[in-house]
Amino acid sequence: MTKEQNRIMAKPKVATTSLAGCFGCHMSILDIDERILQLIELIEFDKSPINDIKEFTGECLVGIVEGGCANEENVRVLQDFRKHCKILISLGDCAINGGLPAMRNTIPLKECLDEAYLNGPSVYNPSGQIPNDPEIPLLLDKVYPCHEVVKMDYHLPGCPPSADTIWQTLVALLTDAPLELPYELIKYD
Amino acid sequence: MSENLETVVKTVCEGTGNDKNRMMDIVRELQEILGGVSDDAMDLIATQVGTHRVEVESVVSFYAFLSKNQKGKTVIRLCDDIIDRMFGFERIKQTFCDALGIELGETTPDNLITLETTPCIGMCDQAPAIMVNDEIFTELSRDGAVEIVEQLRAGLAPERLRRRLGDGNNSSPLVSAGVSNNLRKRGEVIFAPLECGRALKKAIAMSPNEVIRDVKTARLRGRGGAGFPTGMKWDFTRSANGERKYVVCNADEGEPGTFKDRVVLTERPELLIEGMAIAGYAIGAQEGLIYLRAEYAYLRPFLEDTLQKARNMNMLGVDVLGKPGFNFDIRIQMGAGAYVCGEETALISSCEGLRGDPKNRPPFPAQKGYLGYPTSVNNVETFCCVARILDQGAGWFSQIGSKGSTGTKLLSISGDIRRPGVYEVPFGISMKEVLELAGGEGAAAVQVGGPSGQLIGPDMFDRIICYDDLATGGALMVFGPHRDLLKVVEYFMDFFIEESCGYCTPCRVGNVLLKNRLDEILHGKGEPLDLTYLEELGNSVKATSRCGLGQTSPNPILSSLKNFPGLYHALVKANQPFQPTFDIQKALGEAKEIAGRPSMHFAE
């Protein structure tokens, strides 16, 4: 192997996923714009919607998780991330607090499904069935923030966190430097 | 609205001169007469004293001994502190519930008896203890409990119930309480023989500044726990601007495990009165208040009588002991069951007829205290020390104890020891010596200074009781090796959650979060990082709370984490597939039932 190849191989890996989120946080990752070229110098993406790798190929340094856990598949993916990633980051308010999907948390699951598939004012469902294919992951009783399911190492708030915040955080983590987030980046009103 | 109610409220309010600052007295008296302060009564009070209805309700709803709903003719309050729990609380509770046919918090259908619990009533040395209205019953057996119910049912008033009278003044007609002093060791300051009036006479022969100088020379520090130099506090109060000044005695010893003031108030009230008069002379006050906790209401007639005797001897009143222009008198202000009122600014709020909310500092009470006037708030024991200093001299006093902590300290010792009670010991004594005195050699842990203090283990029993090492208001709760210390910590956190006044978020919310995480750990759902969480959150609550309650409430957790880490480490489990509090099967239960199929990913 050449020296250059060696360097590439040794690059730390980053995985990302969107659980019960809207992909807005991932859009924000893409908002780092041309800096993604610099990022690629620093890291290699493993499992992530950005490169469409579906399963982990090995151990990762950082796992970035958007969205909370609304169903069993979310839980399985999150567990998988915990297993493969040294550092797990909750990215954005849904991962941290449950966010919009958690608005159903005060309503019993059965009522939610009935409203969505049977009783809602705009529902047209002559068969009166609630989708129940074995492929459809079962919903959890409520939407859980990630840290209630597995241990999360960092929380990066925002809806979504801005590209600059994500950039600063990743650079700090990858270069082992202290993270400095100026006031503008953590001010939300 | 009945005319009768109107008359009663009117009479009670007029008894205080329709003074809204005396709200505590008004609502206390109405509670006693009517069994509760109803909506109608609150409206009437507000109109009568010229305040807003909400001001009245905020007081009634704040204090544990006041209520909007009518309680039974007799209220039985079971003392539910950790020591009582160790010595039969559960047994007594069950006996009362069975005998009365009601649960805690309920009233018998005939409206005769209400059964409640209350935190420490200052009888830890004779647990289990209960209050029947204002009367105290200690070392209660199951038979004793049944007997009380039978007598009440037979129509006996609480003050007529049979009891074995205690020693000393407990058996005097004005007290007639079934309370023992358990005064195990008399020191040379508080419990030495007393000649009434000598100290005050010496004080008024000097100038006020000389009196303060003597207190400073004696290096007297506050005995309530915080240890602020008394002379300095008086100096501030004396030099503050104000057309009136006040002396306030903090006799609200609500820190669980503390009961020394109970014995001082029973056996040395004259010394306290003298100390307060000296304070009045020194700072230029004409009025003094004794804020007496509601749990000690049984001492009130006796204390009023002692005050009257002092007036007869001209130790209180006009031109005290013939000193022209020095007028000083004392009024007793009753509390109504709120731990936070032991905090001096909350105590002042309560004296002013408000909720027991602490006030912002600065201004300190020495600048702006009771009703906005400069006020010195001191502990019962501190006033007693002052009287002795003026009588025997600052030099004599400062020779007792250790260098930074002069004089003696009253310790209230309870728990797993052979001789529970009050000990007057010189500062500088080691914990080991104290335990030997009290018969607690095999102790596994001692809670020093009540829940807000610290929990120490045998490896620290060489530590010294003084302001620079083991600083304490005097409560020592001793736990034997068979006790579950984390249960103790759990109880203390419940106590703080209950007693937080709710004004500031760190204390109102933080203590609940701490307790929740502690519960998870105790139920085997903890992981190692939870301990870091407890420590960080505990320190945040301490650093950001508004008053002494929140600034010390995380101490049970923090000090047990520090001194007994093994207890916690044995309970937490590392490297679990999920957070220990997350139960995937439970989370999927509903969906499985609705879908009628098992989970794809998580087999049971």
Side-chain angles (χ1 to χ4, degrees):
Chain A
M1 247 188 292
T2 65
K3 216 174 169 187
E4 177 61 14
Q5 277 172 323
N6 225 336
R7 198 183 65 76
I8 294 170
M9 295 305 288
K11 275 198 290 192
K13 292 193 212 170
V14 173
T16 77
T17 188
S18 177
L19 306 175
C22 69
F23 269 91
C25 293
H26 272 77
M27 292 300 122
S28 205
I29 296 177
L30 294 181
D31 274 344
I32 62 175
D33 296 334
E34 76 285 358
R35 283 173 291 186
I36 200 155
L37 298 174
Q38 272 174 276
L39 188 62
I40 289 304
E41 287 291 304
L42 283 170
I43 60 137
E44 188 181 336
F45 276 107
D46 198 285
K47 175 179 161 70
S48 168
I50 292 171
N51 53 17
D52 220 14
I53 296 179
K54 304 286 192 204
E55 295 296 335
F56 278 100
T57 64
E59 297 308 297
C60 295
L61 177 67
V62 182
I64 297 175
V65 181
E66 169 189 343
C69 291
N71 63 36
E72 56 177 331
E73 193 196 13
N74 297 152
V75 174
R76 193 195 63 79
V77 172
L78 184 59
Q79 243 186 343
D80 213 21
F81 263 68
R82 181 70 277 178
K83 215 187 287 171
H84 287 94
C85 303
K86 197 159 160 261
I87 297 163
L88 269 194
I89 302 176
S90 276
L91 181 69
D93 290 349
C94 295
I96 295 172
N97 298 318
L100 272 186
M103 284 181 75
R104 77 161 161 99
N105 283 6
T106 55
I107 304 162
L109 187 56
K110 182 79 172 58
E111 273 178 47
C112 286
L113 289 169
D114 286 352
E115 181 71 9
Y117 293 107
L118 305 176
N119 306 330
S122 60
V123 171
Y124 176 73
N125 182 4
S127 75
Q129 280 186 331
I130 294 174
N132 191 13
D133 190 277
E135 285 293 306
I136 301 174
L138 293 176
L139 291 169
L140 304 181
D141 56 345
K142 59 176 187 171
V143 177
Y144 292 81
C146 292
H147 64 267
E148 285 188 10
V149 177
V150 302
K151 178 182 168 301
M152 302 299 288
D153 301 292
Y154 294 101
H155 296 87
L156 213 53
C159 184
S162 68
D164 288 340
T165 311
I166 298 169
W167 172 253
Q168 300 270 43
T169 307
L170 281 177
V171 169
L173 264 181
L174 296 168
T175 57
D176 209 14
L179 174 59
E180 276 170 28
L181 291 175
Y183 179 63
E184 294 70 42
L185 293 187
I186 47 170
K187 175 176 161 285
Y188 302 104
D189 56 349
Chain B
M1 208 178 295
S2 73
E3 270 177 46
N4 184 31
L5 180 67
E6 249 182 276
T7 324
V8 173
V9 171
K10 196 155 177 269
T11 317
V12 168
C13 291
E14 278 169 358
T16 68
N18 291 325
D19 184 353
K20 64 179 177 188
N21 293 321
R22 299 280 298 276
M23 189 61 72
M24 286 290 280
D25 296 325
I26 295 172
V27 287
R28 264 192 66 98
E29 196 174 337
L30 287 170
Q31 176 85 33
E32 209 173 299
I33 300 171
L34 306 167
V37 186
S38 63
D39 285 314
D40 289 346
M42 288 193 271
D43 282 331
L44 287 168
I45 298 169
T47 318
Q48 185 69 28
V49 304
T51 186
H52 299 289
R53 151 70 191 260
V54 67
E55 298 288 343
V56 185
E57 183 151 11
S58 72
V59 171
V60 173
S61 62
F62 185 82
Y63 296 92
F65 283 37
L66 303 172
S67 65
K68 194 155 110 173
N69 301 330
Q70 186 160 5
K71 291 193 179 168
K73 194 162 155 262
T74 304
V75 181
I76 298 179
R77 294 187 172 89
L78 313 179
C79 176
D80 180 20
D81 70 24
I82 191 69
I83 303 291
D84 287 74
R85 285 189 189 186
M86 282 158 48
F87 291 96
F89 167 80
E90 199 54 40
R91 200 171 61 219
I92 295 297
K93 184 197 93 177
Q94 206 47 55
T95 311
F96 273 111
C97 288
D98 293 347
L100 293 166
I102 54 173
E103 292 299 313
L104 284 180
E106 293 179 355
T107 303
T108 51
D110 56 1
N111 271 333
L112 189 64
I113 299 168
T114 300
L115 187 65
E116 294 181 348
T117 61
T118 185
C120 189
I121 63 170
M123 303 287 158
C124 284
D125 53 337
Q126 40 208 306
I130 66 161
M131 298 178 72
V132 181
N133 285 357
D134 290 345
E135 306 302 318
I136 310 277
F137 295 84
T138 65
E139 291 179 340
L140 198 63
S141 64
R142 258 184 288 209
D143 290 346
V146 171
E147 204 188 327
I148 286 173
V149 173
E150 280 170 357
Q151 292 182 80
L152 287 172
R153 284 222 168 108
L156 244 62
E159 58 274 18
R160 316 275 311 167
L161 295 175
R162 268 191 298 281
R163 74 200 78 185
R164 180 177 39 86
L165 293 184
D167 54 339
N169 286 336
N170 287 305
S171 55
S172 84
L174 286 166
V175 183
S176 63
V179 177
S180 304
N181 283 330
N182 288 329
L183 178 52
R184 308 278 180 179
K185 186 169 165 27
R186 290 166 186 264
E188 42 198 325
V189 178
I190 310 287
F191 288 111
L194 171 70
E195 193 187 314
C196 269
R198 204 166 63 187
L200 184 55
K201 214 173 285 171
K202 287 185 185 173
I204 57 177
M206 306 196 279
S207 76
N209 277 323
E210 285 168 339
V211 172
I212 294 178
R213 189 201 59 205
D214 265 17
V215 175
K216 281 183 176 171
T217 313
R219 299 198 300 281
L220 175 64
R221 295 170 69 172
R223 295 313 200 226
F228 193 82
T230 309
M232 206 190 283
K233 192 185 262 185
W234 287 10
D235 222 0
F236 291 152
T237 318
R238 176 166 183 77
S239 51
N241 287 324
E243 55 186 278
R244 277 188 272 165
K245 287 171 188 174
Y246 285 94
V247 173
V248 175
C249 168
N250 184 346
D252 190 54
E253 60 170 355
E255 189 73 42
T258 316
F259 44 82
K260 61 172 181 85
D261 291 345
R262 178 195 86 214
V263 183
V264 178
L265 293 166
T266 310
E267 296 302 328
R268 285 287 177 272
E270 305 87 357
L271 194 61
L272 165 66
I273 293 169
E274 220 173 319
M276 287 182 71
I278 292 168
Y281 178 69
I283 68 172
Q286 303 208 337
E287 283 173 74
L289 290 173
I290 296 175
Y291 188 89
L292 186 66
R293 68 186 302 221
E295 290 81 352
Y296 292 170
Y298 75 99
L299 287 169
R300 188 177 181 180
F302 171 69
L303 291 173
E304 295 283 11
D305 181 64
T306 314
L307 286 172
Q308 193 50 49
K309 281 183 182 144
R311 286 181 199 115
N312 296 345
M313 289 169 65
N314 195 221
M315 282 172 59
L316 296 174
V318 180
D319 295 341
V320 170
L321 294 183
K323 178 86 177 177
F326 173 43
N327 309 328
F328 187 77
D329 210 331
I330 295 173
R331 176 168 71 82
I332 295 176
Q333 174 64 58
M334 292 306 300
Y339 167 76
V340 72
C341 289
E343 198 279 339
E344 61 175 2
T345 59
L347 184 147
I348 289 171
S349 296
S350 185
C351 288
E352 292 168 340
L354 305 170
R355 279 165 54 97
D357 283 333
K359 296 175 194 278
N360 281 334
R361 277 169 298 192
F364 290 89
Q367 291 131 20
K368 261 173 105 90
Y370 180 57
L371 302 178
Y373 298 108
T375 304
S376 178
V377 184
N378 299 98
N379 185 265
V380 172
E381 194 183 340
T382 313
F383 283 119
C384 292
C385 290
V386 164
R388 292 297 191 188
I389 290 168
L390 268 295
D391 184 27
Q392 313 245 47
W396 165 82
F397 186 84
S398 60
Q399 275 170 20
I400 308 168
S402 65
K403 191 156 178 290
S405 314
T406 54
T408 60
K409 183 77 197 86
L410 294 180
L411 301 177
S412 319
I413 314 183
S414 59
D416 295 321
I417 43 170
R418 292 193 301 281
R419 294 178 291 277
V422 172
Y423 293 75
E424 183 179 1
V425 295
F427 272 115
I429 191 169
S430 73
M431 182 57 72
K432 202 160 155 249
E433 290 170 280
V434 170
L435 287 173
E436 275 164 18
L437 270 178
E441 291 87 351
V446 179
Q447 181 74 30
V448 184
S452 68
Q454 47 183 325
L455 187 66
I456 64 168
D459 54 329
M460 295 183 175
F461 287 173
D462 286 333
R463 290 181 64 181
I464 306 296
I465 293 178
C466 66
Y467 290 104
D468 307 312
D469 189 2
L470 279 178
T472 168
L476 303 182
M477 290 189 240
V478 183
F479 302 106
H482 56 299
R483 303 291 180 191
D484 183 347
L485 293 179
L486 293 183
K487 281 269 167 228
V488 175
V489 174
E490 190 189 14
Y491 165 78
F492 286 162
M493 292 314 295
D494 277 334
F495 170 76
F496 284 126
I497 288 169
E498 178 63 29
E499 294 298 328
S500 167
C501 80
Y503 189 105
C504 73
T505 311
C507 174
R508 183 183 65 247
V509 176
N511 287 318
V512 176
L513 294 177
L514 284 169
K515 172 71 187 350
N516 287 351
R517 192 58 65 98
L518 177 69
D519 278 345
E520 284 166 8
I521 294 171
L522 290 178
H523 288 95
K525 292 182 169 180
E527 53 137 2
L529 269 171
D530 286 338
L531 305 184
T532 319
Y533 169 90
L534 285 180
E535 199 178 330
E536 286 176 358
L537 178 60
N539 284 323
S540 300
V541 172
K542 279 181 79 134
T544 52
S545 286
R546 189 159 173 256
C547 83
L549 195 156
Q551 287 157 13
T552 56
S553 58
N555 282 354
I557 286 180
L558 294 176
S559 76
S560 57
L561 262 177
K562 183 160 163 259
N563 299 335
F564 297 90
L567 295 178
Y568 289 92
H569 287 295
L571 290 174
V572 296
K573 294 174 223 134
N575 298 324
Q576 301 176 82
F578 286 119
Q579 293 285 46
T581 45
F582 182 72
D583 181 347
I584 180 69
Q585 294 306 337
K586 188 168 161 278
L588 283 172
E590 250 174 286
K592 280 193 284 192
E593 200 173 300
I594 295 167
R597 60 186 164 96
S599 159
M600 281 187 298
H601 298 289
F602 300 98
E604 264 180 82

